[in-house]
Amino acid sequence: MPTVTLKLVTIVAERVLQERLLRTLKELGARGYTLTDVSGEGSRGVRASEWEGHNVKIETIVSPEVAERIIEHVAEHYFQHYAVIVYAQPVEVVRGDKYV
Amino acid sequence: MPTVTLKLVTIVAERVLQERLLRTLKELGARGYTLTDVSGEGSRGVRASEWEGHNVKIETIVSPEVAERIIEHVAEHYFQHYAVIVYAQPVEVVRGDKYV
Amino acid sequence: MPTVTLKLVTIVAERVLQERLLRTLKELGARGYTLTDVSGEGSRGVRASEWEGHNVKIETIVSPEVAERIIEHVAEHYFQHYAVIVYAQPVEVVRGDKYV
Amino acid sequence: MLDVLLTNLLSPIVLAFVLGIVAQLIRSDLSFPEPLYQALSIYLLLAIGLKGGAELSHTPWSAVVGPALVTLLLGVVTPITSYVVLRKLGRMDRVNAAAIAAHYGSVSAVTFIAAQAFGQVQGHSIEGFMPALVAMLEVPAIVVALMIAFMRSNHHGSWREGLHEVLAGRSIVLLVGGLIIGYLSGMEGLQQVAPFFVSGFKGALTLFLLEMGLVAARRLRDLKKAGAFLVGFGIVMPLLHGSLAVVLGSWAGLSVGGRAVLGAMVASASYIAAPAAVRISLPEANPSYYLTASLGITFPFNLTLGIPLYFALAQWIEG
Amino acid sequence: MLDVLLTNLLSPIVLAFVLGIVAQLIRSDLSFPEPLYQALSIYLLLAIGLKGGAELSHTPWSAVVGPALVTLLLGVVTPITSYVVLRKLGRMDRVNAAAIAAHYGSVSAVTFIAAQAFGQVQGHSIEGFMPALVAMLEVPAIVVALMIAFMRSNHHGSWREGLHEVLAGRSIVLLVGGLIIGYLSGMEGLQQVAPFFVSGFKGALTLFLLEMGLVAARRLRDLKKAGAFLVGFGIVMPLLHGSLAVVLGSWAGLSVGGRAVLGAMVASASYIAAPAAVRISLPEANPSYYLTASLGITFPFNLTLGIPLYFALAQWIEG
Amino acid sequence: MLDVLLTNLLSPIVLAFVLGIVAQLIRSDLSFPEPLYQALSIYLLLAIGLKGGAELSHTPWSAVVGPALVTLLLGVVTPITSYVVLRKLGRMDRVNAAAIAAHYGSVSAVTFIAAQAFGQVQGHSIEGFMPALVAMLEVPAIVVALMIAFMRSNHHGSWREGLHEVLAGRSIVLLVGGLIIGYLSGMEGLQQVAPFFVSGFKGALTLFLLEMGLVAARRLRDLKKAGAFLVGFGIVMPLLHGSLAVVLGSWAGLSVGGRAVLGAMVASASYIAAPAAVRISLPEANPSYYLTASLGITFPFNLTLGIPLYFALAQWIEG
Ligand SMILES: Nc1ncnc2c1ncn2[C@@H]1O[C@H](COP(=O)(O)O)[C@@H](O)[C@H]1O
Ligand SMILES: Nc1ncnc2c1ncn2[C@@H]1O[C@H](COP(=O)(O)O)[C@@H](O)[C@H]1O
Ligand SMILES: Nc1ncnc2c1ncn2[C@@H]1O[C@H](COP(=O)(O)O)[C@@H](O)[C@H]1O
Ligand code: NA
Ligand code: NA
Ligand code: NA
């Protein structure tokens, strides 16, 4: 089975950003995503709202170019004021055309 | 501490497949798995049942050969009709014999 | 955007260890972590308490040296008596200084 | 008649459903955590089982046999009529027609519950064994529809796994389990847990329908994919099945309330047991069709207009 | 007076809050799963909406107009007084002052509920339309505070998203939705679901306050970051706003119980709607400030000492 | 006697437990979401605490002292008898023997609740302070058993963390917290929340036991690993401990119902507090042993046969 190497981009962010981030991902070219409820701690102890719950983790498999764009966008728009991290890893997938 | 490089195979699938996938993993040689409740979107918008909940993410650390077999099996049996993706990454583990 | 390669260390452990592991991570130099409720099976079928729930997955992005220390610590202190696995992967991050 | 309709539309239970739809349409962030949805489902199914079982325990079997046979008959007939209509009039392929037929032959427990609550508010006394009929109606249609599909086409799914999915599925286990518990422990046993399972019932149902409104509204997006035929099917078929059931129910000796509730049950389309079984057994069927029709069209139709209509018909037959 | 205070402090509702704080302080592993917290919130908000709506359905509008206007007035005035105090006395920067002002102008539904429960135990009869006032009080202050911030500074957040967050937010949808359902289905409709939504209310509230205690105690760690001024602000401001509201409420014709509850509402600081809206619209504001003040200081203060004080003042005005 | 047994076996509470076991055996997909399990646990523990505390508030201390001393005595003695039997007759190693002893010396809150519900249905009036005895019985046994283990062997776990785990653990915090709240707010306070915490109790317990059945059935697979000796131990030991407690309880002046419930408490084995503490303090002990024995054998035994037996014995002693 032929596999392709793409990028898995992971964003962990406070919940309040969820809707905006998903919208942005779509605009930047992601074709799908997987969402997990998580909690966590980092440099900012405080999250916006207890009612909102904790953090979300958004994972999306994309082409290296889209990955770059996503990381840049998140860094530029959210790093300063929000609790958010983003990282990327190479992954091997089959049906590579599904993701690009 | 000596580390070995194995494969982390991740499957994200609609919940209805959970039991079957776990059974299959065992048959194909996986020695363990970790399961997370997730949600997500991809090429197929619709999931089988609202009562069933959303998706599951199954992660299993296996030898490269077993990884290959799992990916092939999932692609062959589930890609056409079900909402499912699968991908693999190298990971470093200690106690490598535990997983093979 | 300049990216740095660090280590993503993942620990999957029975819930009873959560507090101790998080304390240890901090002591060993981790600057943050992300926590997910998961379940799973491995070589030890049995988990400590039904009321405790199942497993937790702890992910932390750290420098290679800290990663090494964490893996060593977990292997030494928990492998014998507890249900726990640990593995590491390289990840690309921006704002690399945040994690070290 | 209009009065009856208004009572239904203005009950907190139906209004909560509407609130759910509205909340989704204005893109509110209101959403039920999945465990709450599951908890409410478990509670509601067990509660109707318990009550039905306790009622059964002091009902003579002779009163039950007729309605039970009629229910089984309807469980076999309605998937066939659905299949034929979908194939002949809707020109749908075999697999999708069978998948939808499984849903329309089976039953929606929530529609049943809403019909019963409606009847009580209207002052009808409804036979206590109706939940037993729900359990009887749920399974056969799915089996019949899968049999049609498996006889007529090559398939990818597993027949046996699909059947196990229905029989050992949550809804049957809770409903039948509740029935047996209620039957064995009787009215006295029920008394012990009545403040929880009986008094709290309608309130919990209100909460549940709020969530169902959210879920159904999410389905509305798929209406276009489903197409005009399916929309018509999702309204007309319940009316036909429901009327047939009201007639047969009255013929089998059910009270006005009982036959109207049977009508609502038979008119309803499953969206819990059937989807799970069909997804396993007929994976090539398109969930957009069967879920949208049953959850996006038939469920809201029955909840708002259908139930009062079946009651009106039941009354009219009585003369 | 001391008597009244003791009754409040020894009610299971307040004691559960204290238990939550203690559990957190002794580092107990007691914690509420998030879905339980959300389920309780949904239940409580819908329940107060339903009850309020049903009461409204048999209240003459003339009785409501005065209190409603007073409430709207207070919703506009209190964020401005808060902002001015924070800027002039607290020397706080604009963005953080506006963020905190949004919280203190808006309302904490839980404080409202606790005040109402307290009044009932004391034997006061409280106007049934109070939940409608909660809904009216929740929104304007947030709008006013955000307007101040957006007029006076460059900002990073989105004004419109923040507003949508409040108006289509869970608490408003559940509260207003409940009000409308209660209003349309009337006392009769409420009767159907009363065992669930009315009888169970105070027990569910007790459970909820246990969780609020756990949450508030986690905030206590941040008190140092917030500083002495904010601690004082979090106690004095409610007293001023609350007293003003009691006076205006009595002037608008509210009963002793009603004006005291209005006092508690206006004195309270939001920690559900406001934080979400502010986080979206004013991301550069520091959550440590506004969350700690509203949840760590003002909420416990009102719950233990504030509410009895507003009731004492309300009584005293009556003469 | 057979009558009594039948009433127990046919109560909805016990039948729900059986339903859970059956559902698991037929591989149903019925399962409780974890938050629901936690929510029910929190509710049940707080509810028994509240009720017990309110009762305590109007009980003379003189009535409590005797039973309390007996309970403490049993909390110290039963882990020792368990340990000795496991070592001498079972030839078990020290660590595992101590681990199991901690479980059998401590108490299962659910067994206590079931015994109390059983007694009420039987028409017994049971002393209101029994929940206080549960809290007293839970801790000492675990301490004693860990002491034995730590005196006799090298260990890997942490003594202090294990103790903190028990004392600040959820079950103790909720139970003792509930007791104090109930005591401080008295019967009047309890009245405010009674529809939620008192009326709803048995229904919630039914739901909880459905889940316990699912959990216990999953343990059954491990029975083989546990071995024949442990199966016998899990049945005989409760009978011995339970009988001893019934005798001492009657000697301390407890009513028939009270001494039977004390018997059930002492006979029961912990599966919430003890496993957590033991896992932390004695990680080298094998959970298959202690969990299977307490949850897979002793818990179902007490629930179905044990409780009626302790009541029969209690009655018989009375003469
Ligand atoms: N070093 C790290 N490793 C893993 N997750 C992290 C790390 N730092 C932060 N996070 C996650 O990212 C969220 C936001 O981080 P921060 O902006 O640093 O507060 C935290 O709540 C964690 O869930
Ligand atoms: N590009 C992607 N990145 C991450 N997760 C995805 C992606 N595409 C699909 N998924 C996940 O896999 C599930 C099934 O995908 P699909 O078959 O495309 O509907 C989705 O519900 C998502 O949870
Ligand atoms: N091969 C594996 N792949 C993924 N997760 C595993 C694997 N083995 C064990 N785990 C996870 O680690 C936990 C503890 O493993 P163990 O100590 O083998 O029982 C399990 O409950 C699983 O969640
Ligand atoms: Na049907
Ligand atoms: Na306010
Ligand atoms: Na014991």
Side-chain angles (χ1 to χ4, degrees):
Chain A
M1 186 126 286
T3 63
V4 199
T5 299
L6 294 171
K7 287 278 181 177
L8 171 65
V9 178
T10 305
I11 305 171
V12 181
E14 49 186 304
R15 183 127 346 152
V16 95
L17 296 181
Q18 174 178 325
E19 228 177 286
R20 269 204 262 175
L21 284 170
L22 294 182
R23 221 182 309 136
T24 305
L25 285 190
K26 216 172 243 176
E27 284 162 18
L28 296 178
R31 303 283 298 275
Y33 64 85
T34 294
L35 203 135
T36 315
D37 286 349
V38 300
S39 55
E41 260 183 54
S43 52
R44 290 166 188 265
V46 185
R47 215 66 64 264
S49 162
E50 301 291 339
W51 158 281
E52 284 300 322
H54 308 297
N55 290 345
V56 285
K57 183 207 234 175
I58 302 173
E59 290 167 306
T60 183
I61 298 175
V62 291
S63 66
E65 300 78 47
V66 174
E68 179 110 341
R69 262 185 273 155
I70 292 172
I71 292 174
E72 212 144 296
H73 181 94
V74 170
E76 201 171 302
H77 287 76
Y78 299 105
F79 270 10
Q80 197 185 345
H81 295 304
Y82 293 101
V84 59
I85 64 169
V86 58
Y87 55 87
Q89 294 161 276
V91 288
E92 296 158 47
V93 302
V94 282
R95 286 200 305 177
D97 49 314
K98 187 172 187 308
Y99 305 95
V100 292
Chain B
M1 185 125 288
T3 64
V4 198
T5 298
L6 293 171
K7 288 276 182 179
L8 170 67
V9 178
T10 305
I11 304 171
V12 181
E14 48 187 303
R15 183 130 341 153
V16 95
L17 296 181
Q18 174 177 325
E19 228 176 287
R20 270 203 261 174
L21 284 170
L22 293 182
R23 223 183 307 135
T24 305
L25 285 190
K26 216 173 242 174
E27 284 163 19
L28 295 177
R31 302 285 298 275
Y33 64 86
T34 294
L35 203 134
T36 316
D37 286 348
V38 299
S39 54
E41 261 183 53
S43 53
R44 291 164 189 266
V46 186
R47 217 63 66 259
S49 161
E50 302 291 339
W51 158 280
E52 285 299 322
H54 308 296
N55 291 344
V56 285
K57 183 206 233 175
I58 302 173
E59 290 167 306
T60 183
I61 297 175
V62 291
S63 66
E65 300 78 47
V66 174
E68 180 110 343
R69 262 185 273 156
I70 291 173
I71 291 175
E72 212 145 296
H73 180 93
V74 169
E76 200 170 304
H77 287 75
Y78 299 105
F79 270 10
Q80 198 186 344
H81 294 304
Y82 293 101
V84 58
I85 63 169
V86 58
Y87 54 87
Q89 295 161 275
V91 288
E92 296 159 47
V93 303
V94 283
R95 286 200 305 178
D97 48 315
K98 188 173 185 308
Y99 305 95
V100 293
Chain C
M1 187 128 286
T3 65
V4 199
T5 298
L6 294 172
K7 288 277 183 179
L8 170 66
V9 178
T10 305
I11 304 172
V12 181
E14 49 186 304
R15 183 130 342 154
V16 95
L17 297 180
Q18 173 177 325
E19 228 176 288
R20 270 204 262 173
L21 285 170
L22 293 182
R23 221 182 308 133
T24 305
L25 284 190
K26 214 172 244 176
E27 284 163 19
L28 295 178
R31 303 284 297 275
Y33 64 87
T34 295
L35 202 135
T36 316
D37 285 349
V38 299
S39 55
E41 261 182 53
S43 54
R44 290 165 190 266
V46 186
R47 216 65 63 263
S49 161
E50 302 291 339
W51 157 281
E52 285 299 322
H54 308 295
N55 291 343
V56 285
K57 181 206 232 176
I58 303 173
E59 291 167 306
T60 182
I61 298 175
V62 291
S63 67
E65 300 77 48
V66 174
E68 179 109 344
R69 262 184 273 155
I70 291 173
I71 291 174
E72 213 145 295
H73 181 94
V74 169
E76 201 171 302
H77 287 75
Y78 299 105
F79 271 10
Q80 197 185 345
H81 294 305
Y82 293 101
V84 59
I85 64 170
V86 58
Y87 54 88
Q89 295 161 275
V91 288
E92 296 159 47
V93 302
V94 282
R95 285 201 307 178
D97 49 314
K98 187 173 186 306
Y99 305 95
V100 293
Chain D
M1 174 65 216
L2 224 124
D3 238 49
V4 176
L5 201 75
L6 218 67
T7 317
N8 186 41
L9 293 178
L10 295 187
S11 88
I13 298 172
V14 169
L15 288 173
F17 180 73
V18 176
L19 176 59
I21 292 181
V22 172
Q24 187 66 29
L25 292 183
I26 63 171
R27 295 194 299 112
S28 167
D29 63 343
L30 176 63
S31 77
F32 276 44
E34 219 175 287
L36 175 56
Y37 176 65
Q38 289 172 18
L40 286 169
S41 307
I42 291 172
Y43 167 85
L44 291 172
L45 288 167
L46 197 61
I48 58 171
L50 282 173
K51 262 192 296 182
E55 292 283 350
L56 261 185
S57 74
H58 64 79
T59 308
W61 282 103
S62 60
V64 186
V65 174
L69 288 178
V70 161
T71 303
L72 283 177
L73 180 72
L74 286 163
V76 174
V77 167
T78 53
I80 298 176
T81 54
S82 304
Y83 182 79
V84 170
V85 168
L86 288 161
R87 292 281 293 153
K88 301 281 146 160
L89 297 181
R91 318 223 146 277
M92 202 160 256
D93 64 289
R94 281 181 178 136
V95 166
N96 277 307
I100 300 174
H103 288 71
Y104 279 81
S106 186
V107 58
S108 143
V110 181
T111 307
F112 160 70
I113 294 168
Q116 210 167 30
F118 176 74
Q120 277 161 20
V121 172
Q122 292 287 313
H124 291 286
S125 79
I126 294 160
E127 281 81 355
F129 53 74
M130 298 307 289
L133 303 188
V134 175
M136 280 177 187
L137 190 58
E138 188 153 26
V139 180
I142 300 177
V143 177
V144 168
L146 294 187
M147 265 169 57
I148 297 174
F150 277 61
M151 281 175 353
R152 309 234 160 184
S153 62
N154 283 358
H155 58 87
H156 297 263
S158 156
W159 161 259
R160 289 182 54 212
E161 285 194 47
L163 194 63
H164 181 262
E165 194 75 13
V166 193
L167 290 175
R170 274 168 282 207
S171 32
I172 287 288
V173 165
L174 288 167
L175 204 53
V176 173
L179 275 168
I180 295 173
I181 294 177
Y183 186 80
L184 290 178
S185 58
M187 292 307 281
E188 256 175 85
L190 184 64
Q191 223 49 50
Q192 290 175 43
V193 296
F196 188 80
F197 283 112
V198 180
S199 312
F201 191 81
K202 276 185 203 154
L205 183 59
T206 303
L207 220 49
F208 189 72
L209 278 172
L210 175 53
E211 161 72 358
M212 291 307 301
L214 292 167
V215 169
R218 260 174 251 144
R219 281 280 140 231
L220 290 181
R221 291 181 306 194
D222 293 333
L223 269 192
K224 268 165 287 172
K225 285 187 224 158
F229 172 76
L230 218 50
V231 174
F233 178 89
I235 291 174
V236 174
M237 213 67 206
L239 287 175
L240 294 180
H241 285 162
S243 306
L244 179 64
V246 170
V247 172
L248 288 183
S250 97
W251 178 76
L254 284 174
S255 71
V256 170
R259 72 185 77 142
V261 170
L262 184 68
M265 279 162 54
V266 172
S268 73
S270 168
Y271 45 81
I272 292 178
V278 164
R279 193 78 188 112
I280 290 282
S281 305
L282 299 175
E284 59 273 55
N286 187 344
S288 291
Y289 294 161
Y290 54 77
L291 276 181
T292 306
S294 70
L295 195 56
I297 303 165
T298 300
F299 178 66
F301 169 73
N302 276 328
L303 209 63
T304 51
L305 302 176
I307 291 175
L309 283 174
Y310 311 131
F311 271 90
L313 180 63
Q315 197 105 47
W316 183 79
I317 282 180
E318 183 77 356
Chain E
M1 173 65 216
L2 224 125
D3 237 49
V4 175
L5 201 74
L6 218 67
T7 317
N8 186 41
L9 293 178
L10 294 187
S11 88
I13 298 172
V14 169
L15 288 173
F17 180 73
V18 176
L19 176 59
I21 292 181
V22 172
Q24 187 66 28
L25 293 183
I26 64 170
R27 294 193 301 112
S28 166
D29 63 343
L30 176 63
S31 77
F32 275 44
E34 218 176 288
L36 175 57
Y37 176 64
Q38 288 172 17
L40 286 169
S41 307
I42 291 172
Y43 167 86
L44 292 172
L45 287 166
L46 196 61
I48 56 171
L50 282 173
K51 261 191 297 182
E55 292 282 351
L56 260 185
S57 73
H58 65 79
T59 308
W61 282 103
S62 60
V64 186
V65 174
L69 288 178
V70 161
T71 303
L72 283 177
L73 180 72
L74 287 162
V76 175
V77 167
T78 53
I80 298 175
T81 54
S82 303
Y83 182 81
V84 171
V85 168
L86 288 161
R87 292 281 292 153
K88 302 280 145 159
L89 298 181
R91 317 222 147 278
M92 201 159 258
D93 64 289
R94 280 181 178 135
V95 167
N96 276 307
I100 300 174
H103 288 70
Y104 279 81
S106 186
V107 58
S108 144
V110 181
T111 307
F112 160 70
I113 295 169
Q116 210 167 30
F118 176 75
Q120 278 161 19
V121 171
Q122 292 287 311
H124 291 286
S125 78
I126 295 158
E127 281 80 356
F129 53 74
M130 299 306 290
L133 303 188
V134 175
M136 280 176 187
L137 189 57
E138 187 153 26
V139 180
I142 300 177
V143 176
V144 169
L146 294 188
M147 264 169 57
I148 298 175
F150 277 62
M151 280 174 353
R152 308 237 162 181
S153 62
N154 282 358
H155 58 87
H156 297 263
S158 156
W159 161 259
R160 289 182 52 212
E161 285 194 47
L163 194 63
H164 181 262
E165 194 74 14
V166 194
L167 288 176
R170 274 168 282 208
S171 32
I172 287 289
V173 164
L174 288 167
L175 204 52
V176 172
L179 274 168
I180 295 174
I181 293 178
Y183 186 81
L184 290 178
S185 56
M187 292 308 280
E188 255 175 86
L190 183 65
Q191 223 49 49
Q192 290 176 43
V193 296
F196 188 81
F197 283 112
V198 180
S199 313
F201 191 80
K202 276 185 203 154
L205 183 58
T206 303
L207 219 48
F208 190 73
L209 278 172
L210 175 53
E211 161 74 358
M212 291 306 302
L214 292 167
V215 169
R218 261 174 251 143
R219 282 277 141 231
L220 290 180
R221 291 180 306 197
D222 292 332
L223 268 193
K224 266 165 288 172
K225 285 187 223 159
F229 173 76
L230 218 49
V231 174
F233 177 88
I235 291 172
V236 174
M237 213 65 206
L239 288 175
L240 294 180
H241 285 162
S243 307
L244 179 64
V246 170
V247 171
L248 288 183
S250 96
W251 177 77
L254 285 174
S255 71
V256 170
R259 71 185 78 141
V261 171
L262 184 68
M265 279 161 54
V266 173
S268 72
S270 168
Y271 45 82
I272 292 179
V278 164
R279 193 79 187 112
I280 290 282
S281 305
L282 300 174
E284 60 272 55
N286 187 343
S288 291
Y289 293 160
Y290 54 76
L291 277 180
T292 306
S294 70
L295 195 57
I297 302 165
T298 300
F299 178 66
F301 169 73
N302 276 328
L303 209 62
T304 51
L305 302 176
I307 291 175
L309 283 173
Y310 311 131
F311 271 90
L313 180 63
Q315 197 104 50
W316 183 79
I317 283 181
E318 183 76 356
Chain F
M1 172 67 216
L2 224 126
D3 237 50
V4 175
L5 200 73
L6 218 68
T7 316
N8 187 41
L9 293 179
L10 295 187
S11 88
I13 297 171
V14 170
L15 288 173
F17 180 73
V18 176
L19 176 59
I21 292 181
V22 171
Q24 186 67 28
L25 293 183
I26 63 170
R27 294 192 302 111
S28 167
D29 63 342
L30 177 63
S31 76
F32 276 44
E34 218 174 289
L36 175 57
Y37 176 66
Q38 288 172 19
L40 286 169
S41 308
I42 291 171
Y43 167 85
L44 292 172
L45 288 166
L46 196 61
I48 57 172
L50 282 173
K51 262 191 296 182
E55 292 283 349
L56 261 185
S57 73
H58 64 79
T59 308
W61 281 104
S62 60
V64 186
V65 174
L69 287 178
V70 161
T71 302
L72 283 177
L73 180 72
L74 287 162
V76 174
V77 167
T78 54
I80 298 176
T81 55
S82 304
Y83 181 80
V84 170
V85 168
L86 288 161
R87 291 283 291 153
K88 301 281 148 164
L89 298 181
R91 318 222 146 280
M92 201 160 256
D93 64 289
R94 281 182 176 135
V95 166
N96 276 307
I100 300 174
H103 288 70
Y104 279 81
S106 186
V107 58
S108 143
V110 181
T111 306
F112 160 70
I113 295 168
Q116 210 168 28
F118 176 75
Q120 278 162 18
V121 172
Q122 292 288 311
H124 292 286
S125 78
I126 295 158
E127 280 82 356
F129 52 74
M130 299 306 291
L133 303 188
V134 175
M136 280 177 188
L137 190 57
E138 187 152 28
V139 180
I142 300 178
V143 176
V144 169
L146 294 187
M147 265 170 56
I148 298 175
F150 277 61
M151 282 176 350
R152 308 236 162 181
S153 61
N154 282 358
H155 58 85
H156 298 261
S158 156
W159 161 260
R160 289 182 54 212
E161 285 194 48
L163 194 63
H164 181 263
E165 194 74 13
V166 194
L167 289 176
R170 274 167 281 206
S171 32
I172 287 290
V173 164
L174 287 167
L175 204 53
V176 173
L179 275 167
I180 295 173
I181 293 178
Y183 186 82
L184 290 178
S185 56
M187 291 308 280
E188 256 175 86
L190 184 64
Q191 222 49 50
Q192 291 175 43
V193 296
F196 188 80
F197 283 113
V198 180
S199 313
F201 190 81
K202 276 185 203 154
L205 183 59
T206 304
L207 219 49
F208 189 73
L209 278 172
L210 175 53
E211 161 74 358
M212 292 306 302
L214 292 167
V215 169
R218 260 174 252 144
R219 281 280 138 229
L220 290 180
R221 292 181 305 197
D222 293 333
L223 268 192
K224 268 166 288 173
K225 285 187 223 159
F229 172 77
L230 217 49
V231 175
F233 178 88
I235 291 172
V236 174
M237 212 67 204
L239 287 175
L240 294 180
H241 286 161
S243 306
L244 178 65
V246 170
V247 172
L248 290 182
S250 96
W251 177 77
L254 285 173
S255 70
V256 171
R259 70 185 78 141
V261 170
L262 183 68
M265 278 161 55
V266 173
S268 73
S270 167
Y271 46 82
I272 291 179
V278 164
R279 192 78 189 114
I280 290 283
S281 305
L282 300 175
E284 60 273 55
N286 186 344
S288 291
Y289 294 161
Y290 54 76
L291 276 180
T292 306
S294 70
L295 195 57
I297 302 165
T298 300
F299 178 65
F301 169 74
N302 275 329
L303 209 62
T304 51
L305 302 177
I307 291 174
L309 283 173
Y310 311 131
F311 271 90
L313 179 63
Q315 196 104 49
W316 183 80
I317 282 180
E318 183 77 355

